[in-house]
Amino acid sequence: MSKVRRAVIREWMLLARERRQSSEQAATFATAALQRHALPRSRRAPHAIIMRWLRPRTGRP
């Protein structure tokens, strides 16, 4: 899971600053990331897991 987490965060931070400002942009990115990366089974929804990873980095320079 940590390799997937690192990859998703790296992809997010490589986006232009204007493309990672809002939670709506993060939600769209999370949906697309789920198509590219397989998360292990969990009680939490995969989309919520990725959103938790992205939330502290939303709007960050």
Side-chain angles (χ1 to χ4, degrees):
M1 175 98 94
S2 65
K3 286 184 181 183
V4 174
R5 179 179 184 271
R6 240 180 268 140
V8 169
I9 291 171
R10 187 177 303 119
E11 289 174 15
W12 176 248
M13 294 306 289
L14 285 173
L15 290 176
R17 187 185 300 179
E18 311 81 53
R19 296 190 57 206
R20 53 184 165 89
Q21 290 296 311
S22 69
S23 58
E24 292 83 17
Q25 290 169 323
T28 303
F29 177 85
T31 303
L34 285 172
Q35 302 298 318
R36 295 188 299 272
H37 302 283
L39 294 178
R41 288 181 54 105
S42 173
R43 289 184 154 195
R44 288 185 287 150
H47 192 270
I49 293 171
I50 293 179
M51 286 301 292
R52 177 178 270 185
W53 297 342
L54 299 180
R55 196 167 289 120
R57 294 161 182 85
T58 301
R60 184 188 282 184

